[in-house]
Amino acid sequence: MKKLWITLCVFLTAAGILSGCGIEQIAVDTVVSLGEDYTFRAEDFFLLDQGVRESDLSVDASAVDTTAVGEYPVTVTYGWERYVVHVAVVDWKAPSLEMTEKCYFTNNLDDIEDQTFAVYQDDSECLVCVGGYERIEGLDALTEEDIADLTSSFATQELGREKLSALVGEDRELSDVPTREVLGLLLDETPPDEEGVYLARVAVADIWNNVTEGSLLLVYDTTAPVAEGLADVEVVQEDASALPDLDLSAVRITDNLDGEIPREALDVQMTQTDRENHVYRVSLSCEDRAGNRMEDSYSITVKEAKRTPSRPPQTFGTAPQETEPSAASSPEGDVPGVFLEQQVEQVLERINAEREAEGLSALSLNGTATSAAQIRAVEIVDSFSHVRPNGNRGYTTLLDVGIQYTAAGENLAIGYNGSAEAVVSAWMKSETHRANIMRDYTDIGIACYYDPNTPEKYYWVQLFFR
């Protein structure tokens, strides 16, 4: 019996020694970055007693997948004890951010964070924040050169977690702070209450509070373009029932940021509002780059031209009296009409200058076509229309003088006090007349017929053909 007791005591002592040489668990989880290789380290979870080596532990970390965010179990066995700890795979990589627009025009800041000037990519859901508005200039005309200068240094950058951790405070873990709160600490999201050009910051944060930031030139503009020079007008034409030509030469559209808006950018609609009295409503509209829309209109009332009897033409020459008709002096008295050669030469020179400015070849003055233009000049004294007294189109006078053509066109005008400069300027301001001047014709006939016995006195014709 005494021997057995001594043996038992030795065994208990040995057992006591073994229990003293063990491990103590100090943590239940650890964190690794997404995509990193994971190697189990005993010191992350345990304190090992002297004499216990890490190789004495049986570790099963086969469930850990560092290619996907998540929490994975690791089983650790030591002797008869079994422990389960966890490895959290987290994403500490900031989202990628591309600023597709460095300058953004808007008239509404309510949904600014939903716009498409920033494109981001990340493995998790992200929040976008726009803020930190800093006004950099007033609402003057903003050119493309201005935008290029202001945005030349823009770049995106990842914000380090150290900076963000300091922002939320040392007493809190960055990953535990709500993402919206982190963005609110990073940027003042209060939108501007005044129109202006602002430097703004765009921040994108994922669910782990990794943040990438970019810059944006924000143009906040709520002022629509303004139309100047609109006024109700009356026009006189031979056929009052025909659609009037639109003359927008006196109209000027200006914007506080875009400056003068070209007439080509206008949406123009003409609607007849009074058929009996030949009244039309011309509506103009356009938008500036911020989406502010201008809409305005004016009326055109068409009056029928009074017919005056025609006078027989003479050959080329000067008007009777010693002074040739010009913008400054015109002959008076009941004298026959004449064709004015100097005005023909001036018209030819000016329209070819207009064509040269557009890179087009010059038109050749054709003598036979000029004879056809003279016929038309006399005809429009009595009937100012592109339809001849015989019912044919005006340019068919080319056929009458023996010219065969594949394409032809006609411009007419009356008055302008004999000034070639004034009549060409008027033609160039009319879309249909300008189109004839700029078309791919090769030859032209020109006539300026002066009849001092009519109110208009001067009758202008251009016949184009190829």
Side-chain angles (χ1 to χ4, degrees):
M1 174 64 78
K2 185 176 180 180
K3 183 178 180 179
L4 178 60
W5 173 249
I6 293 172
T7 303
L8 181 59
C9 287
V10 170
F11 176 79
L12 290 175
T13 301
I17 292 172
L18 286 176
S19 64
C21 298
I23 63 176
E24 178 184 353
Q25 186 172 359
I26 58 173
V28 295
D29 56 27
T30 191
V31 176
V32 297
S33 296
L34 182 68
E36 288 185 0
D37 292 333
Y38 175 67
T39 301
F40 176 84
R41 298 187 310 169
E43 60 265 27
D44 291 339
F45 304 98
F46 303 98
L47 284 178
L48 304 183
D49 288 342
Q50 187 175 3
V52 178
R53 294 169 301 176
E54 187 167 328
S55 58
D56 296 331
L57 307 180
S58 176
V59 179
D60 180 8
S62 60
V64 177
D65 180 8
T66 60
T67 65
V69 173
E71 188 174 279
Y72 303 95
V74 175
T75 303
V76 180
T77 304
Y78 176 66
W80 297 286
E81 299 294 334
R82 182 173 179 271
Y83 305 89
V84 177
V85 295
H86 295 87
V87 175
V89 178
V90 298
D91 181 7
W92 282 342
K93 183 180 179 181
S96 65
L97 174 62
E98 178 186 359
M99 300 300 297
T100 57
E101 295 181 52
K102 291 185 176 182
C103 181
Y104 184 71
F105 290 79
T106 185
N107 59 6
N108 181 13
L109 296 175
D110 292 341
D111 58 350
I112 188 68
E113 293 176 358
D114 298 329
Q115 303 309 312
T116 58
F117 47 73
V119 176
Y120 60 87
Q121 190 171 18
D122 194 74
D123 292 326
S124 65
E125 293 185 2
C126 294
L127 286 178
V128 179
C129 173
V130 182
Y133 300 98
E134 178 185 351
R135 185 167 183 149
I136 57 177
E137 64 179 64
L139 270 181
D140 299 319
L142 192 62
T143 66
E144 293 300 324
E145 291 76 13
D146 295 331
I147 294 173
D149 289 342
L150 292 168
T151 61
S152 60
S153 62
F154 284 2
T156 59
Q157 61 175 343
E158 296 182 9
L159 302 186
R161 294 185 67 84
E162 297 81 4
K163 176 180 179 179
L164 296 170
S165 295
L167 193 66
V168 302
E170 296 180 356
D171 57 334
R172 293 195 294 176
E173 179 64 36
L174 177 60
S175 299
D176 295 335
V177 180
T179 302
R180 173 56 66 184
E181 182 181 345
V182 173
L183 290 175
L185 292 170
L186 184 64
L187 296 178
D188 180 4
E189 299 180 67
T190 305
D193 56 5
E194 294 182 0
E195 292 182 324
V197 181
Y198 294 86
L199 176 62
R201 293 157 60 196
V202 180
V204 180
D206 63 14
I207 61 174
W208 303 100
N209 291 335
N210 302 299
V211 179
T212 302
E213 189 178 78
S215 298
L216 176 71
L217 188 66
L218 180 73
V219 182
Y220 179 44
D221 175 23
T222 60
T223 302
V226 176
E228 301 173 357
L230 290 183
D232 296 342
V233 297
E234 288 188 0
V235 298
V236 178
Q237 58 189 42
E238 182 67 27
D239 184 3
S241 63
L243 285 175
D245 284 336
L246 287 178
D247 183 4
L248 301 178
S249 58
V251 178
R252 185 169 179 259
I253 311 296
T254 58
D255 183 69
N256 58 330
L257 277 179
D258 293 338
E260 185 165 353
I261 296 177
R263 283 188 287 272
E264 293 77 12
L266 291 176
D267 181 14
V268 182
Q269 303 290 333
M270 184 166 64
T271 307
Q272 190 171 42
T273 57
D274 186 339
R275 185 180 182 86
E276 181 179 354
N277 296 307
H278 311 296
V279 180
Y280 299 83
R281 173 61 57 181
V282 180
S283 300
L284 298 88
S285 62
C286 68
E287 283 189 0
D288 63 15
R289 287 180 286 181
N292 301 298
R293 187 169 183 80
M294 180 281 297
E295 294 181 348
D296 212 333
S297 64
Y298 69 98
S299 68
I300 300 177
T301 303
V302 182
K303 300 294 185 180
E304 189 165 297
K306 294 181 180 180
R307 296 188 177 185
T308 58
S310 62
R311 296 288 186 270
Q314 294 181 349
T315 58
F316 270 111
T318 60
Q321 299 182 1
E322 296 181 358
T323 306
E324 182 175 308
S326 66
S329 70
S330 299
E332 301 297 339
D334 189 9
V335 295
V338 294
F339 293 106
L340 305 179
E341 187 173 5
Q342 182 178 358
Q343 273 78 351
V344 170
E345 295 173 352
Q346 292 172 348
V347 168
L348 179 66
E349 180 182 354
R350 291 184 181 279
I351 64 171
N352 277 335
E354 296 286 355
R355 287 174 62 89
E356 182 181 0
E358 297 294 327
L360 302 174
S361 59
L363 296 173
S364 298
L365 183 64
N366 184 290
T368 305
T370 294
S371 298
Q374 292 176 21
I375 296 172
R376 287 294 293 135
V378 175
E379 289 179 349
I380 66 174
V381 173
D382 185 58
S383 177
F384 185 65
S385 170
H386 288 294
V387 178
R388 299 181 65 191
N390 63 7
N392 294 329
R393 299 296 294 178
Y395 49 75
T396 60
T397 49
L398 293 169
L399 299 175
D400 294 348
V401 297
I403 294 178
Q404 300 296 320
Y405 52 81
T406 57
E410 179 185 66
N411 282 348
L412 304 177
I414 57 176
Y416 294 96
N417 206 22
S419 168
E421 178 182 2
V423 72
V424 172
S425 176
W427 278 330
M428 290 300 295
K429 291 176 181 176
S430 166
E431 292 183 11
T432 53
H433 295 89
R434 184 183 189 278
N436 272 337
I437 293 172
M438 295 299 174
R439 205 159 283 160
D440 58 344
Y441 295 123
T442 57
D443 293 81
I444 189 172
I446 304 171
C448 177
Y449 178 54
Y450 174 72
D451 186 346
N453 305 301
T454 62
E456 293 83 5
K457 291 185 173 60
Y458 296 89
Y459 299 85
W460 308 79
V461 178
Q462 291 178 316
L463 288 177
F464 306 86
F465 70 96
R466 57 177 165 83

